[in-house]
Amino acid sequence: MAVNRRQFLTAAGGLAAVAGSGGLAACGGSGSGGGGGNADGSAELAFAWWGNEVRNANTTAAIDAYTAANPNVTISPQPGEWASYWDKLATQTAGNTAPDIIQMDMAYISEYGTRGALLDLEEYGVDVSKFAEGTVDSGRIEGKLYGVNAGINTPTILANPELYEEAGVDMPDDTTWTWEEYGAIAEELSAKLGSGSFGSDSIFNDVLLSAYLRQQGKELFTPEGLGFAVEDVIPWFELMKSFVDSGALPDAARISEGATKPLDQGDFVVGNSAMAQYWSNQVEAVNKSSGKTMAILRYPSTTGQATDRQAWYKASMLWSASARTRHPEAAVALISWWVNSPESADANLAERGIPANLEIRERITPELSEDQQAVATFIADIEPELGTTPIAPPPGGGELGDIMQRYQLDMLFGRTAPADAANGFYTEATSNLKV
Amino acid sequence: MTDLDTAALPATPARTEQPAPRSQQAVSSGGRIARSLLKHLMLILASIVMIYPLLWLLVSSFRPTEVIFRTPGLWLNELFVQNYSEGWFALGSPFHVYLFNSLVVTVGAVVGNLVSCSLAAYAFARLKFRLRTLWFAIMLVTIMLPIHVIVVPQYIIFNLLGWVNTIIPLVLPKFLATDAFFVFLMVQFIRGIPRELDEAARIDGCGHWQIFTRVMLPLMGPALATSAIFTIIWTWSDFFTPLIYLTDPTKYTVPLALRSFLDATSGSNWGAMFAMSIVTLVPMFLVFLFGQKFLIRGIATTGGK
Amino acid sequence: MSALFELTSLKGSRARTPEEKAARRKEAGRDNLAGYLFLLPWLVGLVVITIGPLIASLYLSFTDYSLIQAPEWTGLENYVRMLEDPRLHNALRVTFIYVVVGTPLQLVVALGIALLLNEGMKGLAFYRSIFYLPSLLGGSVAIALLWRQLFGTDGLVNQLLRLLGVDATIGWVSDPSYALWTIILLHVWTFGSPMVIFLAGLRQIPAMYYEAAAVDGATRWSRFIRITLPLLSPIIFFNLVLQVIGAFQSFTQAFVVSNGTGGPSDSTMFYTLYLYDRGFGNFEMGYAAAMAWLLVVIVGALTAVNFLLSRFWVFYDD
């Protein structure tokens, strides 16, 4: 099709409009509101989080408490749902309208942090003085504190006592079990529980890969990229294959099915499997959905000693602030209040995870549900077993678990050998990183 | 039309029976009943397959969240109506706020689409102007580009205009015929309308505007009804656009509100979500049930009879 | 695509002599003013809302754009990368199967049901609404969950198969060999939209043709072939073009059924799903934009072929 002058001008005009929009470049302030001058400390803050309606209610109550105590601050809440939250945040960031306060996740913090979208909270004096050891560093990237721990999380193995009893198997000693023993116990459970039930969900996710690697003196990520070599993950793929072959884990189709199920429909929660890996802040939801009280266990170790298992505290989520906020002081003040004040603690309790602030933890513990008290105890108990705090996944690292799962399924469906699967995983995980 | 006419009327009758206005009347009445029964049986069977998920959704909305996914069947032991009462008030605003927001957006979208798309379609289908083909091709390209790469630049434009967190980005584009799907749909319908009708009007001295309003629009009943129904349904269930543009929860539309019940990493309130899903589906079903009448009625005025 | 209208027009004869060409030019500009007035809202929309993002996405396809930082010009890098991206090639393959199998199947079902429902019978409105229901529900999260459950290893489908004596333990949505086919089934099942368009098209065929045919004693089949199909052909054409475009952009169903992963093992990783995953999931909007333009080229070519072929089977009355 020939292009005449008029068409060309139209096209040029459009391009000019885009270039002029400047949104593609970085300039301008946060779009949280029109509010300008803050000489009197007044500020309008946009506050975004994801969660279900319970969290929405808690968070709204805490916001109300804050604005009641600080009448010159107005807060516009932006609640959302996990999956779509990130689409919206990315679009807003591109349009220079990111919310001032952002509930952040470990999987994304370096994507935003290293690209300059987040505020260094320490520069504006965020207060983390009363935080438990190892809980602040989760949000630190290249020396800057881009996020403050909003609740402590740690990986656990949950076990269903009823199924253990039904199978006539004793609860394992989680301070001494190894990966192989885990497989043997799961195999025994599968055999004794009969068809339709099995000993364990797949535990071969990125969380426990991290644990497994740390026990070999490696890490999932270093600031330079992957913290391990192909040779380190080949045994991991082989171990998974052997667990599936022995019947400790379900077959490929069920593992594949399990990967897409929401928590409340998982095999473990509905009583089809006796063990599974969950984060500690999911225990209450698991118990609530299953109607049972699950046993909270440590994940296995290579040496058979819990003190060697290189446990860690992860931030269940973090509080970040937009680098382009017009009111950095006000935003950081709000974050400090959120993680340190009794008023905030009373509204939020441990809904986002056990608080990292030790005083706050002590204050709210009596108020917590039995499930959450059990979690708080577990988190305190494992303190001697903690290794170093893993760094946040670098940009492109958040998809590592998905990539691994794809190659694992290829292996389990008999399309590749374990070593090839491990190789494929390693190559793609490496090329996906942007460091 | 001439070649079609002869094609439609074979020179030698295919059958030797007495010609009847409707061939069904040529079949014996016993056979007719059997055939009708068979047809209904087939349709009912097909309907069950089609409707099963909705029935399951409906039944599940009366079950406590814990048992919903353990029972694929349609048996209901008790009516757990709390899903409805709790679901209505579980979010930041009562559910009718979201229903109202969706209603406003939907009404705006329907009016916008019907007006702007029919105008553009008339131009493309009936008027001869320079670069028509080029514009038409551009229009088709706009349908082909996936929304996910358009949404960010578009967001930037609407943000510069200061329209983020208003319903303008959801409604204004409809008044500017950006839903090329409907333009193309109406073009195809208009091109199926016998040209003699508007030629006759033109000879009577009607201008384009009069031909459009007095001849074309009345003839486009089915196309307009189809566009309206689709616009209503698609706007009502659209998630992505309101997600991006609306930040104030009191402005949320229904699909945004429904997602608030979900939390894949801890527990979702499925019962409430299903109950409110039913609440939002009922109006859509009614729109379709009654709206489709216009699909049929519109044609009564068409050239034939 | 420059001669779309001439190509699609039944009587589109080409001008040869200079005089004829001049006459055609004059003819082409006959309604210039009226044409652009009627087109005005669309043109404004194009300039203000559509063209900018269109060009922006083209520009971004030559950049590295994370959404968070300003785009950086990288020339043809994204396009070169597409040549050697195995996941992209897989996504193309998956999408082609889906389009080639799913689209005709869905259109045939939609047309068949529309014909059945077009005849005068009791309960018509009810059936029509029932058959449209899946399309109302198609993209909802609840239905995706139910779909996963129905086709799960212990789901209703396998239970029914076991009743029939088949030892069914297949994970229809979890086994990479079958997952795509269940999504195609889901696609066919939501045939409501083309059905409604067919119904509207059928309603626009003047009854006099059928009456005249009946007078001549034409059989049902010959009425269908000689009247219904030709007069419905513009609508069939519309559905074909739009369903092909739509199928290439298919997103929602695969997204909800696979939880956005395109799994198991990328077996349901549709093109647009992968594009979304790169753009929003992995902050590679530049690459996503390049993918989008490759899609435009592919779909545009197919659409052009569709338009070219349409002159042989689509009948317009103009």
Side-chain angles (χ1 to χ4, degrees):
Chain A
M1 53 184 81
V3 178
N4 69 18
R5 190 168 158 274
R6 178 143 39 131
Q7 290 154 21
F8 176 75
L9 287 180
T10 314
L15 196 60
V18 173
S21 76
L24 297 174
C27 58
S30 167
S32 58
N38 56 344
D40 57 345
S42 74
E44 286 178 39
L45 298 174
F47 185 124
W49 74 92
W50 73 85
N52 55 21
E53 81 269 15
V54 177
R55 182 177 300 163
N56 294 355
N58 289 347
T59 309
T60 310
I63 288 175
D64 290 346
Y66 187 76
T67 45
N70 301 275
N72 50 6
V73 176
T74 50
I75 296 174
S76 50
Q78 299 184 8
E81 167 263 348
W82 167 262
S84 53
Y85 178 84
W86 299 104
D87 296 347
K88 187 170 183 167
L89 183 61
T91 310
Q92 289 175 323
T93 308
N96 271 327
T97 59
D100 303 87
I101 314 260
I102 303 166
Q103 185 176 311
M104 185 48 72
D105 186 85
M106 287 297 284
Y108 290 95
I109 189 165
S110 58
E111 300 275 6
Y112 285 90
T114 57
R115 293 189 177 108
L118 301 180
L119 203 65
D120 180 1
L121 301 173
E122 262 167 348
E123 198 185 320
Y124 291 90
V126 74
D127 177 12
V128 288
S129 55
K130 301 199 176 76
F131 273 35
E133 208 183 314
T135 55
V136 179
D137 289 342
S138 299
R140 201 183 298 281
I141 294 162
E142 292 163 1
K144 290 185 174 157
L145 192 65
Y146 289 125
V148 167
N149 195 319
I152 292 179
N153 226 355
T154 193
T156 69
I157 300 289
L158 295 189
N160 183 336
E162 288 177 23
L163 288 182
Y164 265 85
E165 200 171 322
E166 197 186 315
V169 175
D170 291 334
M171 272 282 169
D173 179 358
D174 66 336
T175 55
T176 61
W177 62 351
T178 62
W179 298 96
E180 286 73 19
E181 280 164 25
Y182 183 96
I185 292 167
E187 189 184 338
E188 189 186 354
L189 284 163
S190 293
K192 292 191 173 161
L193 283 170
S195 78
S197 300
F198 32 91
S200 171
D201 284 357
S202 172
I203 54 164
F204 291 86
N205 53 19
D206 52 340
V207 180
L208 290 191
L209 172 63
S210 173
Y212 179 84
L213 290 171
R214 284 157 63 83
Q215 292 170 7
Q216 333 280 329
K218 306 284 163 54
E219 283 286 346
L220 210 47
F221 300 108
T222 65
E224 288 77 41
L226 293 183
F228 58 96
V230 197
E231 299 78 52
D232 300 317
V233 280
I234 292 176
W236 176 253
F237 276 72
E238 281 167 346
L239 193 66
M240 180 185 201
K241 181 93 165 57
S242 74
F243 276 24
V244 173
D245 290 344
S246 73
L249 301 185
D251 60 22
R254 268 184 179 279
I255 289 180
S256 162
E257 225 167 277
T260 57
K261 281 180 180 165
L263 178 135
D264 41 16
Q265 293 158 51
D267 280 313
F268 179 74
V269 172
V270 300
N272 285 338
S273 68
M275 291 187 287
Q277 190 268 318
Y278 283 96
W279 287 100
S280 59
N281 71 337
Q282 294 177 305
V283 171
E284 187 173 38
V286 168
N287 285 352
K288 207 174 134 211
S289 302
S290 63
K292 302 184 177 71
T293 304
M294 304 299 185
I296 308 171
L297 305 178
R298 293 162 173 81
Y299 60 75
S301 64
T302 314
T303 59
Q305 277 186 308
T307 41
D308 289 343
R309 72 187 182 100
Q310 302 289 329
W312 73 97
Y313 289 156
K314 180 204 168 195
S316 65
M317 50 201 85
L318 306 103
W319 293 114
S320 295
S322 167
R324 290 169 209 157
T325 175
R326 285 181 197 171
H327 311 290
E329 287 85 7
V332 173
L334 173 58
I335 292 176
S336 286
W337 177 86
W338 202 275
V339 293
N340 295 313
S341 79
E343 295 84 7
S344 159
D346 291 345
N348 290 301
L349 291 178
E351 200 276 324
R352 284 184 173 87
I354 302 298
N357 180 323
L358 292 167
E359 281 177 18
I360 292 295
R361 190 192 300 180
E362 204 169 310
R363 176 191 167 91
I364 63 163
T365 301
E367 311 291 323
L368 297 181
S369 65
E370 268 178 45
D371 293 333
Q372 283 181 333
Q373 295 205 8
V375 172
T377 310
F378 182 80
I379 285 179
D381 283 351
I382 64 165
E383 224 187 302
E385 300 153 27
L386 295 179
T388 54
T389 307
I391 64 161
E399 290 198 330
L400 184 118
D402 291 340
I403 298 172
M404 180 166 71
Q405 192 184 67
R406 248 187 303 122
Y407 285 94
Q408 284 172 340
L409 287 179
D410 271 345
M411 171 183 78
L412 297 179
F413 278 107
R415 299 174 163 200
T416 51
D420 296 336
N423 257 310
F425 156 64
Y426 189 82
T427 312
E428 193 175 324
T430 309
S431 70
N432 211 54
L433 285 184
K434 282 161 271 182
V435 282
Chain B
M1 208 63 215
T2 44
D3 39 343
L4 272 176
D5 281 347
T6 49
L9 304 170
T12 44
R15 281 200 259 171
T16 49
E17 299 113 338
Q18 193 68 20
R22 290 259 169 212
S23 72
Q24 272 153 314
Q25 283 168 16
V27 188
S28 76
S29 81
R32 201 172 70 215
I33 290 170
R35 213 171 123 177
S36 161
L37 269 178
L38 190 74
K39 200 149 98 181
H40 273 284
L41 198 70
M42 271 170 53
L43 284 172
I44 287 168
L45 270 178
S47 301
I48 291 172
V49 175
M50 301 304 284
I51 206 177
Y52 173 83
L54 183 83
L55 289 180
W56 179 81
L57 190 67
L58 182 65
V59 169
S60 297
S61 74
F62 288 107
R63 283 180 179 145
T65 294
E66 297 81 54
V67 298
I68 285 176
F69 288 101
R70 295 180 202 165
T71 35
L74 299 177
W75 255 249
L76 202 56
N77 298 325
E78 48 155 357
L79 273 188
F80 192 76
V81 292
Q82 284 95 314
N83 283 339
Y84 284 84
S85 49
E86 284 174 13
W88 197 277
F89 295 104
L91 304 176
S93 311
F95 209 74
H96 57 254
V97 172
Y98 308 118
L99 287 169
F100 179 76
N101 292 342
S102 274
L103 183 72
V104 172
V105 172
T106 306
V107 169
V110 170
V111 174
N113 261 352
L114 289 187
V115 172
S116 64
C117 295
S118 62
L119 286 171
Y122 178 71
F124 279 129
R126 283 294 202 251
L127 302 179
K128 301 215 184 303
F129 54 93
R130 274 182 230 290
L131 302 180
R132 182 176 71 159
T133 343
L134 176 79
W135 294 123
F136 192 75
I138 290 178
M139 184 190 75
L140 283 179
V141 170
T142 63
I143 315 183
M144 293 174 198
L145 211 59
I147 177 192
H148 300 111
V149 295
I150 299 295
V151 71
V152 169
Q154 216 156 56
Y155 179 86
I156 290 168
I157 292 177
F158 281 121
N159 184 39
L160 284 173
L161 293 167
W163 289 342
V164 167
N165 202 19
T166 70
I167 64 166
I168 298 175
L170 310 186
V171 176
L172 179 79
K174 313 283 179 184
F175 279 90
L176 300 176
T178 50
D179 271 348
F181 179 93
F182 296 111
V183 180
F184 189 25
L185 177 76
M186 291 186 198
V187 165
Q188 292 303 96
F189 271 91
I190 292 175
R191 297 187 78 188
I193 293 172
R195 206 175 246 280
E196 293 92 69
L197 295 168
D198 40 320
E199 289 298 341
R202 193 182 281 226
I203 290 162
D204 285 351
C206 289
H208 285 299
W209 180 249
Q210 281 154 320
I211 295 174
F212 175 69
T213 52
R214 294 197 193 153
V215 182
M216 226 24 98
L217 279 184
L219 287 176
M220 285 169 65
L224 295 176
T226 310
S227 305
I229 288 175
F230 283 1
T231 307
I232 291 172
I233 289 165
W234 291 346
T235 311
W236 188 264
S237 52
D238 183 20
F239 175 74
F240 204 62
T241 326
L243 167 78
I244 297 297
Y245 289 111
L246 302 178
T247 51
D248 179 354
T250 60
K251 291 178 181 163
Y252 278 9
T253 57
V254 163
L256 291 183
L258 282 179
R259 287 280 177 118
S260 308
F261 290 112
L262 294 185
D263 187 346
T265 51
S266 69
S268 300
N269 192 346
W270 296 108
M273 190 214 162
F274 283 17
M276 291 305 106
S277 295
I278 292 290
V279 168
T280 55
L281 276 171
V282 167
M284 283 305 90
F285 187 67
L286 294 180
V287 161
F288 191 78
L289 196 63
F290 295 108
Q292 59 170 342
K293 274 187 193 160
F294 296 98
L295 289 179
I296 300 156
R297 193 179 290 158
I299 209 57
T301 49
T302 305
K305 273 214 166 152
Chain C
M1 316 232 329
S2 63
L4 285 180
F5 271 84
E6 286 82 341
L7 287 173
T8 53
S9 165
L10 194 63
K11 294 155 194 161
S13 55
R14 289 193 166 266
R16 291 280 178 260
T17 66
E19 298 80 51
E20 274 174 337
K21 277 183 185 163
R24 274 182 68 86
R25 259 203 304 279
K26 200 178 169 193
E27 171 72 2
R30 194 184 72 198
D31 305 317
N32 260 346
L33 181 65
Y36 279 95
L37 280 177
F38 273 92
L39 214 53
L40 193 62
W42 179 80
L43 277 172
V44 171
L46 184 74
V47 170
V48 175
I49 296 172
T50 320
I51 274 285
L54 214 68
I55 294 169
S57 73
L58 187 61
Y59 162 73
L60 291 175
S61 77
F62 295 101
T63 66
D64 176 12
Y65 182 38
S66 65
L67 290 169
I68 301 167
Q69 275 170 320
E72 271 174 53
W73 183 264
T74 56
L76 287 172
E77 201 174 287
N78 289 325
Y79 291 92
V80 173
R81 182 178 155 197
M82 284 198 289
L83 291 176
E84 49 206 35
D85 181 351
R87 292 188 76 194
L88 179 95
H89 303 157
N90 172 65
L92 274 174
R93 190 184 59 84
V94 168
T95 310
F96 266 108
I97 296 177
Y98 178 77
V99 171
V100 170
V101 179
T103 310
L105 218 55
Q106 192 203 37
L107 285 182
V108 168
V109 171
L111 181 58
I113 301 273
L115 285 168
L116 204 61
L117 292 181
N118 189 42
E119 300 184 10
M121 62 184 290
K122 278 189 180 160
L124 210 64
F126 178 72
Y127 286 128
R128 266 198 297 263
S129 308
I130 295 292
F131 288 150
Y132 194 74
L133 265 177
S135 309
L136 276 183
L137 297 170
S140 86
V141 180
I143 292 309
L145 287 169
L146 177 67
W147 197 257
R148 289 211 290 256
Q149 201 175 36
L150 287 178
F151 286 91
T153 40
D154 289 330
L156 203 60
V157 172
N158 275 351
Q159 285 172 20
L160 285 176
L161 286 174
R162 274 171 221 160
L163 279 183
L164 297 172
V166 185
D167 182 28
T169 51
I170 293 168
W172 297 102
V173 286
S174 54
D175 188 324
S177 318
Y178 302 100
L180 175 60
W181 302 100
T182 50
I183 292 196
I184 290 179
L185 198 65
L186 179 60
H187 175 63
V188 175
W189 181 64
T190 53
F191 60 78
S193 302
M195 178 193 80
V196 166
I197 296 171
F198 278 137
L199 270 172
L202 286 170
R203 283 284 151 183
Q204 215 178 25
I205 299 175
M208 62 176 179
Y209 296 130
Y210 290 110
E211 281 155 14
V215 168
D216 279 5
T219 60
R220 284 169 83 80
W221 179 247
S222 78
R223 272 184 287 143
F224 173 68
I225 294 292
R226 299 213 161 144
I227 303 172
T228 311
L229 271 189
L231 290 179
L232 196 61
S233 61
I235 302 306
I236 299 177
F237 177 64
F238 170 81
N239 268 335
L240 180 67
V241 170
L242 262 295
Q243 291 300 319
V244 167
I245 295 177
F248 267 104
Q249 294 184 8
S250 184
F251 178 78
T252 314
Q253 287 163 351
F255 183 82
V256 287
V257 171
S258 73
N259 229 355
T261 63
S265 278
D266 271 357
S267 59
T268 61
M269 183 54 103
F270 289 121
Y271 195 85
T272 327
L273 195 53
Y274 186 50
L275 182 151
Y276 165 83
D277 175 66
R278 291 296 95 184
F280 281 101
N282 215 32
F283 300 92
E284 296 175 315
M285 195 45 93
Y287 189 55
M291 283 183 67
W293 279 94
L294 176 65
L295 186 69
V296 169
V297 169
I298 294 172
V299 179
L302 276 175
T303 308
V305 169
N306 251 334
F307 269 93
L308 280 170
L309 291 177
S310 74
R311 69 184 300 192
F312 300 112
W313 63 275
V314 178
F315 299 90
Y316 294 107
D317 191 34
D318 57 3

